[in-house]
């Protein structure tokens, strides 16, 4: 059992990790795949529940009383995780269906239990459209072709950068470093785009081991006929953040396997770890298949100086996904470099900002590169912009930084009359946000 009162990977240990190795040939990956939803291809553990235990109550004693095993938990049990929240959140399992049925019924009647819920699935929105590419092969939804002739300007001068007025902001103060937690499939620490830009190895919540690294296994783990279709998602997201803010340091937490499958509980654990490790911003380029009180408790327990950015979703509908729809999360929808809403992107009243998310060029494991589209890419641009602005003027709190981004965004409603009022305050403009903070 792991208690996040003690960080799993203290920052003091984060210097002793993988050195950049000789990389394969510099190659490009291209894709037009835009998923539509969080895929639910693997069933939750059948005899498992997440349990919010009331402040002052003993989670282990409750598990014992209902015939369950306490597998993991977070929270100290004596301090509320948010307003009127539980004192801790635990993962209970039972050996069989009968025990689970009886135990869950008992939990529902207990005054010491705040909530009981399934460990809902988490995943990236971009992988749900992969099946259109036919033959099963590794990365088939993102590795449409390798041309072997990419150029650095494709990364450093891509249209997303002037779209957010990146160059309207002067260089940041020397030595100013912002920590950005990337909760995803992990990262490739040897990629040149991430060299020197990781705060350390992070943590793998899938394998329950140090090292938040992008890992492929060549196996169709979820039985959908595709192999490792999410491999590289976290590397691409992290590389987009460090492109926007070269002074950012990434804290990588792996909560999704190479097929893009994860759980709400691992997402919650990773957010708790991000807070413990001092992240100012958390990037969630993923969504939940259903609302999760465990994830919400983790969000509410974060310090006010840790801001969560999350993907709106790729449904193309005016319905924002979880957890982006929450008021205490910055929800980001995807537009093109001109501010036109991406056909894949969810939108709605819960949106705070929009950012470029179409054909974003970024790193992939093995010193390769990809063009990837979706709300995951848009939220990475937004997280990078927040980090860049915070690094530039660190005399302000992270929430002041985000308020400046939201308050100075350029409205894109006239470009999107069908979605007017559903795109937040508009497209990020870093120059104007910098002027706002400087006043």
């Amino acid at each position: 059992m792991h208690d996040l009162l003690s960080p799993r990977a203290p920052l003091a240990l984060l210097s002793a990790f993988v050195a950049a190795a000789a990389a394969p040939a510099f190659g490009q990956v291209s894709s037009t795949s835009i998923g539509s939803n969080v895929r639910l291809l693997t069933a939750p553990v059948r005899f498992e529940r997440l349990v919010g235990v009331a402040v002052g109550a003993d989670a282990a004693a409750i598990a014992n009383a209902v015939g369950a095993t306490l597998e993991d938990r977070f929270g100290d049990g004596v301090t509320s995780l948010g307003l009127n929240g539980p004192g801790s959140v635990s993962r209970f399992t039972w050996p069989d269906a009968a025990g689970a049925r009886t135990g869950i019924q008992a939990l529902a009647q207990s005054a010491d239990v705040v909530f009981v819920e399934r460990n809902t699935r988490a995943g990236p929105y971009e992988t749900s459209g992969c099946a259109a590419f036919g033959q099963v092969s590794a990365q088939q939804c993102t590795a449409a072709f390798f041309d072997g002739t990419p150029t650095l300007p494709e990364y450093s001068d891509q249209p997303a950068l002037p779209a957010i007025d990146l160059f309207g902001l002067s260089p940041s103060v020397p030595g100013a470093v912002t920590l950005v937690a990337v909760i995803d499939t992990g990262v490739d620490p040897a990629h040149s785009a991430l060299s020197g830009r990781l705060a350390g190895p992070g943590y793998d919540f899938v394998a329950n081991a140090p090292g938040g690294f992008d890992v492929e296994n060549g196996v169709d783990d979820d039985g959908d006929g595709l192999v490792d279709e999410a491999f590289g998602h976290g590397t691409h997201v992290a590389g987009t953040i460090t492109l926007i803010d070269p002074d950012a340091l990434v804290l990588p937490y792996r909560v999704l396997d190479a097929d893009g499958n994860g759980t709400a509980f691992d997402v919650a654990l990773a957010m708790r770890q991000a807070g413990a490790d001092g992240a100012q911003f958390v990037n969630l380029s993923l969504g939940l298949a259903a609302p999760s009180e465990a994830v919400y408790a983790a969000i509410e327990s974060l310090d006010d100086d840790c801001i969560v950015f999350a993907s709106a979703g790729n449904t193309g509908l005016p319905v924002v996904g979880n957890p982006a729809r929450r008021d205490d999360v910055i929800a980001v929808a995807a537009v093109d470099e001109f501010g036109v809403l991406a056909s894949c992107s969810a939108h709605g009243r819960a949106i705070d900002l929009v950012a470029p998310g179409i054909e974003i060029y970024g790193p992939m494991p093995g010193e390769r590169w990809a063009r990837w589209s979706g709300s995951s890419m848009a939220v990475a641009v937004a997280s990078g912009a927040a980090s860049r602005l915070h690094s530039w003027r660190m005399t302000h709190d992270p929430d002041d930084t985000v308020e400046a981004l939201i308050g100075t965004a350029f409205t894109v409603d006239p470009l999107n009359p069908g979605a007017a009022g559903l795109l937040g305050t508009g497209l990020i403009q870093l120059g104007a946000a910098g002027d706002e903070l400087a006043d």
Side-chain angles (χ1 to χ4, degrees), residues 17-20 177 188-200 242 245-250:
F17 71 107
V18 65
V177 174
D188 176 4
H191 199 291
S192 59
L194 297 176
S195 178
R197 292 174 177 168
L198 301 184
T242 59
D245 182 15
D247 294 316
L249 287 180
V250 169

Side-chain angles (χ1 to χ4, degrees), residues 179-183 241 249-253 270 274 279-284:
L179 292 176
V180 183
V182 174
I183 298 175
I241 292 169
L249 287 180
V250 169
L251 289 163
Y253 303 116
Q280 283 95 12
F281 301 104
V282 174
N283 187 96
L284 289 180

Side-chain angles (χ1 to χ4, degrees), residues 36 69 116 188 199 227 251 254 300 309 318 416 422:
S36 61
T69 298
V116 181
D188 176 4
V227 177
L251 289 163
R254 181 173 182 252
E300 291 179 5
F309 284 76
N416 303 280
L422 305 178

